[in-house]
């Protein structure tokens, strides 16, 4: 079924998302306390120093011993008792889309793009179409069996947005509980694939001819909204044996990486040649399972992936281990075959499904060392910057490729809201609010 809608945009007041502000420095820094402000910073008058530099709410200055040498301008605290912690840059400029190091939702523009009126029901990921950037594709898990769908927003920056909902017959299997999607960026392979957080018998009980619970895997689709319908008729291929898949990233051709939660692995799925619309031949698929047991799945939480084509590194939101991990996809050697092999033609054959041993997986960011990080989920790379959303805190972080923290934004959306993100060409961040069934946009605040 395909349904179309129109929706209107409107900005969200930040006051609806964050608590009322505490008293400002202007209220605390007074001439009676020998404190003054200059260029947005607070200082003590000459001959005075902070009464208690360890108290962030004490802006009183007291006279110092005149025999003591005056502190040099370089040594003077730049912002009095509110100086940033030593672990943060002293003069961090930050990123405009994250509020220029203010970390405040008040310093960006937050806009609701779409909600339940277009059929969103627990959305978990979204991506811009690489060849049609005016199309934003969203996977919506749904709240009941068979309610999963893909929703496409047409011209998401327009005042009135067109939207289509795609959930054709057979979506309960081929689009079961979608958790992530990824587009091919190669015009020779104009497709996209979905991953599915499902481990149930989606085609009926095995005793009645249905497929087993561990049968689920990624599905390949045409990336053409005029052909795609979200069900059996428009699926182009499907491989199997990755239930509870919660992340996906395109590498090359028809090859995609999947976060396989069922086997706690990162698995490379190459569909090779698709079987065309509504086909059944999966026998040419090649499945390679890496680092089994080294990543950790959290039920109902997406663990997104980013493949860096310049380095062949796969960046991983390893949600259950509270870290950002990196797999060097050029490492490892072929190991034992994987059973059962549902795509070999014989059900339990020795086709192209195998483990890769000794691949190198490292930790780029240890979430235990980052304030507010508990379950990293969303992951995007833009202009060499890695953006991470956290499921527990709904904070969005920015890191460089060496794992250094550049900036972060406290969205105020609450626990369990933010999973997938997409970065538009202009650098604005689109994200799903899975709890409120919305798609939101964060952009730099316009200059006044």
């Amino acid at each position: 079924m395909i349904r179309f809608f129109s929706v209107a945009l409107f900005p969200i007041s930040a006051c609806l998302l964050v608590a009322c502000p505490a008293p400002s420095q202007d209220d605390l820094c007074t001439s009676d306390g020998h404190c003054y402000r200059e260029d947005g910073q607070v200082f003590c008058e000459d001959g005075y120093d902070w009464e208690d530099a360890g108290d962030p709410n004490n802006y009183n200055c007291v006279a110092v011993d005149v025999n003591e040498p005056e502190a040099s301008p370089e040594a003077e605290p730049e912002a009095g008792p509110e100086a940033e912690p030593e672990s943060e840059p002293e003069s961090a400029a930050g990123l405009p889309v994250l509020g220029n190091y203010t970390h405040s939702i008040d310093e960006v523009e937050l806009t609701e793009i779409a909600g339940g009126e277009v059929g969103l029901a627990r959305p978990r990921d979204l991506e811009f179409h690489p060849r049609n950037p005016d199309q934003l594709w969203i996977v919506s898990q749904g709240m009941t069996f068979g309610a999963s769908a893909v929703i496409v927003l047409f011209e998401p920056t327009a005042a009135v947005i067109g939207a289509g909902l795609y959930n054709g017959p057979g979506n309960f299997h081929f689009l079961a509980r979608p958790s992530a999607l990824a587009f091919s960026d190669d015009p020779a392979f104009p497709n996209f694939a979905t991953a599915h957080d499902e481990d149930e018998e989606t085609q009926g009980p095995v005793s009645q001819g249905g497929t087993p619970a561990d049968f689920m895997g990624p599905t390949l689709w045409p990336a053409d909204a005029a052909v795609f319908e979200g069900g059996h008729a428009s699926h182009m291929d499907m491989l199997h044996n990755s239930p509870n898949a919660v992340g996906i990233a395109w590498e090359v051709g028809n090859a995609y990486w999947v976060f396989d939660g069922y086997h706690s692995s990162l698995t490379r799925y190459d569909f090779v040649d698709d079987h065309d619309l509504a086909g059944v031949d999966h026998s040419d698929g090649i499945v390679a399972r890496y680092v089994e047991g080294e990543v950790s799945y959290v039920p109902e939480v997406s663990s997104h992936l980013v493949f860096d084509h310049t380095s062949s590194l796969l960046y991983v939101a390893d949600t259950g281990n509270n870290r950002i991990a990196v797999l060097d996809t050029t490492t490892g050697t072929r190991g034992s075959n994987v059973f059962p092999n549902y795509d070999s033609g014989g059900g339990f054959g020795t086709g192209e499904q195998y483990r890769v041993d000794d691949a190198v997986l490292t930790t780029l960011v240890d979430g235990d060392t980052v304030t507010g990080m508990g379950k990293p989920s969303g992951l995007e790379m833009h202009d060499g910057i890695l953006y991470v959303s956290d499921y527990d805190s709904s904070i969005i972080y920015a890191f460089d490729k060496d794992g250094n923290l550049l900036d972060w934004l406290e969205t105020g959306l609450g626990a369990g809201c933010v999973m997938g993100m997409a970065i538009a060409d202009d650098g604005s961040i689109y994200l799903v609010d899975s709890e409120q069934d919305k798609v939101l946009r964060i952009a730099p605040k316009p200059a006044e």
Side-chain angles (χ1 to χ4, degrees):
M1 171 186 284
I2 303 174
R3 289 182 285 166
F4 294 93
F5 310 85
S6 295
V7 294
L9 300 184
F10 60 90
I12 300 175
S13 170
C15 295
L16 297 177
L17 300 177
V18 296
C20 294
S24 68
Q25 292 176 349
D26 290 328
D27 300 324
L28 301 173
C29 180
T30 65
S31 59
D32 291 342
H34 302 284
C35 172
Y36 71 97
R37 296 178 57 81
E38 183 176 309
D39 297 330
Q41 310 258 348
V42 290
F43 300 92
C44 286
E45 296 174 357
D46 290 342
Y48 291 82
D49 203 352
W50 300 110
E51 182 178 56
D52 184 357
D55 183 355
N57 296 314
N58 188 343
Y59 283 78
N60 288 325
C61 301
V62 295
V64 297
D65 189 337
V66 295
N67 295 319
E68 290 183 2
E70 184 176 349
S72 66
E74 292 79 9
E76 185 174 329
E78 194 170 304
E82 285 199 346
E84 297 287 353
E86 291 182 1
S87 61
E88 299 179 4
E90 292 184 1
S91 58
L95 302 173
V97 75
L98 296 183
N100 281 323
Y101 218 76
T102 63
H103 320 308
S104 172
I105 197 69
D106 293 310
E107 299 305 318
V108 297
E109 186 176 75
L110 181 65
T111 305
E112 180 178 329
I113 301 299
E117 73 280 355
V118 299
L120 290 173
R122 191 156 176 77
R124 293 182 60 169
D125 194 20
L126 69 176
E127 291 290 337
F128 282 97
H129 194 298
R131 290 168 296 282
N132 296 293
D134 60 345
Q135 296 179 8
L136 182 61
W137 293 52
I138 309 153
V139 288
S140 181
Q141 176 180 303
M143 304 305 293
T144 58
F145 183 77
S148 56
V150 170
I151 294 161
V152 180
L153 302 183
F154 301 94
E155 299 187 24
T157 60
V160 177
I161 300 171
L165 183 145
Y166 303 78
N167 61 346
N171 69 323
F172 54 82
H173 174 67
F174 297 97
L175 193 61
R177 293 170 52 82
S179 59
L181 78 162
F183 283 93
S184 161
D185 200 20
D186 185 347
F189 297 86
N191 308 318
F192 78 104
T194 51
H196 311 106
D197 191 2
E198 179 63 277
D199 61 1
E200 300 293 333
E201 298 175 348
T202 59
Q203 295 183 304
V206 174
S207 61
Q208 299 178 23
T211 50
D214 64 353
F215 188 74
M216 281 303 300
T219 305
L220 189 70
W221 309 91
D224 183 344
V227 178
F228 173 71
E229 50 82 66
H232 174 267
S234 67
H235 94 283
M236 298 183 67
D237 213 333
M238 187 175 189
L239 294 173
H240 303 91
N241 207 359
S242 279
N244 301 133
V246 286
I248 193 166
W250 173 73
E251 180 189 337
V252 65
N254 277 333
Y256 295 78
W257 287 88
V258 170
F259 191 119
D260 176 351
Y262 193 87
H263 298 101
S264 300
S265 68
L266 302 172
T267 303
R268 186 180 188 270
Y269 277 87
D270 190 350
F271 296 93
V272 189
D273 295 322
D274 66 75
H275 60 40
D276 207 350
L277 299 177
V280 295
D281 184 2
H282 309 142
S283 61
D284 66 341
I286 302 172
V287 180
R289 187 183 296 169
Y290 287 65
V291 296
E292 187 170 2
E294 296 184 42
V295 294
S296 181
Y297 160 76
V298 176
E300 299 292 331
V301 182
S302 294
S303 297
H304 291 294
L305 308 176
V306 169
F307 186 84
D308 186 352
H309 291 86
T310 63
S311 64
S312 294
L313 296 177
L314 181 69
Y315 292 83
V316 183
D318 188 0
T319 308
N321 289 322
N322 190 22
R323 65 171 177 167
I324 303 303
V326 181
L327 174 67
D328 185 345
T329 65
T330 66
T331 63
T333 57
R334 179 165 177 161
S336 60
N337 289 328
V338 169
F339 296 97
N341 181 351
Y342 295 116
D343 299 316
S344 68
F348 290 84
T350 56
E352 290 290 283
Q353 290 201 16
Y354 55 87
R355 293 177 177 84
V356 174
D357 299 331
D358 302 320
V360 177
L361 181 72
T362 57
T363 298
L364 179 70
V365 177
D366 181 353
D368 291 340
T369 68
V370 180
T371 301
M373 187 175 287
K375 290 187 178 70
S377 175
L379 203 62
E380 281 292 316
M381 184 84 75
H382 183 74
D383 290 343
I385 296 174
L386 191 66
Y387 292 86
V388 180
S389 69
D390 189 79
Y391 182 79
D392 275 353
S393 65
S394 290
I395 293 174
I396 298 174
Y397 302 89
F399 299 90
D400 64 21
K401 289 185 178 182
D402 294 322
N404 298 308
L405 180 61
L406 304 177
D407 203 349
W408 70 93
L409 177 67
E410 298 174 3
T411 66
L413 293 173
C417 290
V418 181
M419 285 194 270
M421 300 182 293
I423 312 294
D425 289 341
D426 64 2
S428 57
I429 299 173
Y430 288 70
L431 63 150
V432 295
D433 180 343
S434 292
E435 287 293 304
Q436 302 300 320
D437 299 331
K438 295 178 180 178
V439 170
L440 306 173
R441 181 179 67 218
I442 297 173
K445 182 172 285 189
E448 297 180 355

